[in-house]
Amino acid sequence: MTPASLLRGRWLPFVLASLLAFITLEAAAQLPTKPGKYGRTLIADVVLPPSQLDKMAAFLDTLRASNHGAQNSVAFGETVDWNGDSLTGTPAASPYTIVVQADVMASQAGNVVTTWKTGWRMDNGESRQTLLTGLVETDAKPGQRLTLTGVSSASRFDRDKNVTPVVSFVDARNATVQRVQVQVWSGMPSASFLDYFGAFRFLLLGVVMLVVVLVFRRL
């Protein structure tokens, strides 16, 4: 074995593993508390109490018994709701974004799906909510612990309005919800280097791998 081939054998896997670890680091990060990808000002940051998680678990048991295994309707089904503190939504502080992060455990092998809605309740009692995407994982292992994050679409107010942020738990498949964190942000998000890097991370990974291979071939 030549010194060059020995160097490649020892260092190439290490370099590639380090790159992969760096790229996936963002996925394991906790929700931020400083201005960044979700908005400029953090208005609310709440970890739901155990009593709320107990309500969700009991709700799922009732849902399975009444729906006979069918998924709960996003539009017409019952939900377990969290209501934040009311605030004054203004055009100047718009847009407003609600972020939900759920720590769950897969019950068995397969897809993990949790369904949520987010939105606002107006001072006249009217609620406006939309489906929250992103809180799913494919091909989970039995007992695997996952952190799922969903970000609402941006909400803008054309005038000052008294509103209350609302997060509604609709359903969960192959998942035990263990922790839920909710944040409410206002203002435009700012794109950091990591945000740009994350958007093109797989392309960059391919380029870096090609460079590494070419460099080691020259040794």
Side-chain angles (χ1 to χ4, degrees), residues 11-150:
W11 288 102
L12 185 57
F14 174 76
V15 171
L16 295 180
S18 299
L19 286 170
L20 287 172
F22 179 75
I23 289 172
T24 57
L25 180 63
E26 184 181 8
Q30 294 297 311
L31 289 178
T33 57
K34 296 181 180 180
K37 64 188 297 184
Y38 299 127
R40 185 171 62 247
T41 303
L42 180 60
I43 298 175
D45 188 0
V46 179
V47 175
L48 302 193
S51 59
Q52 189 79 359
L53 302 185
D54 292 340
K55 288 181 180 179
M56 293 179 185
F59 170 72
L60 287 178
D61 290 339
T62 302
L63 199 62
R64 297 293 171 261
S66 59
N67 287 10
H68 305 289
Q71 186 163 349
N72 191 23
S73 170
V74 174
F76 305 108
E78 296 291 329
T79 59
V80 176
D81 299 334
W82 170 85
N83 298 289
D85 295 331
S86 60
L87 58 96
T88 301
T90 67
S94 295
Y96 292 82
T97 304
I98 301 174
V99 184
V100 177
Q101 187 177 82
D103 293 342
V104 305
M105 183 175 68
S107 305
Q108 57 190 15
N111 296 339
V112 170
V113 180
T114 65
T115 308
W116 307 74
K117 295 189 294 186
T118 58
W120 305 90
R121 190 177 70 243
M122 308 301 168
D123 54 3
N124 61 2
E126 179 186 359
S127 291
R128 300 176 183 175
Q129 289 184 280
T130 57
L131 181 65
L132 188 65
T133 61
L135 288 141
V136 300
E137 181 72 22
T138 58
D139 299 327
K141 299 177 181 179
Q144 183 178 357
R145 298 180 184 275
L146 304 164
T147 298
L148 311 175
T149 304

